[in-house]
Amino acid sequence: MTPHASLRLACALGAALVAVALAGAPAFATPTPTPTSAPTSAAPTASDALTPLVDCVQDAPLGAVTSRTVVLGYWSSASAPVTLTPGSGGDDLSPGAADRGQPSSFLPGEHHGAWLLTVDAAAEPSLIWTLGGRSVTIDASAPACTDATAIVLSAPATTSGTVAVSATVTRFLLGPPEAGTVDFAIDGTAASTAPVGAGGVARADLTAPAGPHTITATFTPASGSTLRPATATAPVTVTPPSGALSVAADSVVAGSTSVTVHVTRTGAAPVTVDFATVDGTAHAGPDYVAASGTLALAAGQAAATTTVSLPARAPGSPASVFFVVLQHATADVSGAVTMVSLPAVPAAAPASAAVGGTGGGGAAGAASALPQGDPTAHTPLASAPVGQDLLLLLAAGLITVGGVAGVIGLFRSVRPRDGLV
């Protein structure tokens, strides 16, 4: 077999061996030691956000050829994925071919086991991987893959002063260790030490005040072990607890065109909650306008409001109610429902009972609020004929000025006529 054929066979066997081993190993999603050269800029550019990492090296002698398999990772301080084209100058291997299948897309955070590289250790005892503005040397000084460890650190955000953290210690080619300890620390303060148990897992409860923090987990192998220590970091935020939410509505009076709904709480943490109207004896459309949405209360905000429109209801509409319900809240809820009461609407007055018309003969006008024939209604006297008025005036004159003498004279003049008849 030629040397080139032997080299190709060795590379293939080495890659297959590592691929099979990694298939049964835990995922390496989070940190081994954070590189001391890692950028600290709050908003790094693609050229300085990336740091290449050599996770481990494993040599496999195959006759005259030594196949070297390298497990590589990276650390990115960028807040979004960074893309670099292999072999373009920013993502290169040297000496030799610059593009050897390295990744081109780099996610934020620390990543291990990102890719494998197999080389002839005798022909290429040392390589340099340049990523962005930083480089790392790949040679036999890297940890052996049977001894290298990594830590998967979990530190979920919390609304209390206690942070429950867990660290899973893994190895690249073998099962996880079940001995040793993990030291947990918040912001570099005194560590809390926990033993590594089944599955390589260690847990601890850490105390921290409200605000953003950095948790560090450091694995220390058991005495006499050939395993290498590892360190991981992860951010965590402790937010002050939010007081329970409650909902209430203003009173509705006759003529109201809307009602205000209030969502209140006593806590200071940001919170969101959905609201929606629900029919009771009142129905969306004729009695109120259906409404729904999301209310957000910022940090320190004690209340938020929304309004529900109220259309003009038909005369004679009875008193009725509908509800406003809270749901999908990001905080506890003490009162999730409030009732909105709508007052009854008076029936329309009959046309014959309206006020403001004129009429005669004691009848109330068309707009009057008084009933027909009401004696208190204003009724003018009917007009009399002109001749009858003149007779009444003459009679009044006879009864008043000299009226008595005139009557006696009238009788004296009539009696002689009667005698003549």
Side-chain angles (χ1 to χ4, degrees):
M1 182 179 294
T2 65
H4 292 294
S6 300
L7 176 59
R8 287 196 296 271
L9 177 60
C11 291
L13 290 175
L17 174 63
V18 174
V20 170
L22 287 176
F28 307 109
T30 18
T32 54
T34 299
T36 55
S37 61
T40 57
S41 171
T45 62
S47 62
D48 63 8
L50 303 176
T51 299
L53 302 174
V54 177
D55 289 328
C56 65
V57 171
Q58 192 66 41
D59 287 347
L62 298 173
V65 177
T66 298
S67 173
R68 173 170 293 166
T69 300
V70 186
V71 181
L72 297 144
Y74 63 90
W75 188 86
S76 174
S77 60
S79 59
V82 175
T83 300
L84 294 176
T85 302
S88 63
D91 183 7
D92 293 357
L93 284 167
S94 61
D99 181 1
R100 302 197 190 187
Q102 61 264 38
S104 59
S105 180
F106 303 89
L107 301 176
E110 193 165 355
H111 302 270
H112 299 276
W115 68 294
L116 302 179
L117 173 66
T118 302
V119 299
D120 181 346
E124 297 182 301
S126 179
L127 291 173
I128 295 176
W129 183 24
T130 299
L131 188 59
R134 292 176 171 80
S135 299
V136 66
T137 299
I138 304 170
D139 57 23
S141 65
C145 289
T146 53
D147 297 333
T149 61
I151 297 178
V152 178
L153 181 58
S154 174
T158 178
T159 57
S160 68
T162 301
V163 182
V165 295
S166 65
T168 302
V169 183
T170 64
R171 287 191 286 179
F172 289 90
L173 295 182
L174 297 175
E178 296 186 356
T181 59
V182 173
D183 293 332
F184 296 96
I186 291 186
D187 300 331
T189 59
S192 174
T193 303
V196 175
V201 178
R203 294 183 175 88
D205 291 332
L206 307 179
T207 301
H213 303 279
T214 298
I215 294 180
T216 302
T218 302
F219 168 63
T220 301
S223 178
S225 172
T226 61
L227 295 181
R228 304 285 294 266
T231 301
T233 61
V236 66
T237 300
V238 178
T239 57
S242 174
L245 297 169
S246 61
V247 59
D250 289 348
S251 298
V252 177
V253 298
S256 294
T257 58
S258 65
V259 58
T260 301
V261 179
H262 305 264
V263 175
T264 59
R265 54 82 180 266
T266 57
V271 63
T272 60
V273 61
D274 294 343
F275 70 91
T277 53
V278 178
D279 281 0
T281 52
H283 299 284
D287 298 315
Y288 71 93
V289 178
S292 62
T294 300
L295 293 176
L297 286 77
Q301 182 179 348
T305 61
T306 188
T307 58
V308 178
S309 298
L310 303 176
R313 301 165 65 212
S317 297
S320 56
V321 299
F322 67 92
F323 304 93
V324 179
V325 180
L326 300 183
Q327 54 190 350
H328 305 141
T330 58
D332 292 336
V333 177
S334 62
V337 181
T338 187
M339 183 174 69
V340 180
S341 299
L342 303 177
V345 180
S352 59
V355 177
T358 58
S368 174
L370 300 176
Q372 292 287 340
D374 189 332
T376 63
H378 174 67
T379 306
L381 293 174
S383 300
V386 176
Q388 184 178 353
D389 290 344
L390 180 59
L391 290 175
L392 289 174
L393 290 174
L394 291 175
L398 288 176
I399 296 173
T400 55
V401 182
V404 175
V407 171
I408 294 173
L410 180 60
F411 277 102
R412 284 179 177 177
S413 62
V414 169
R415 289 182 65 185
R417 291 181 182 178
D418 292 340
L420 294 175
V421 173

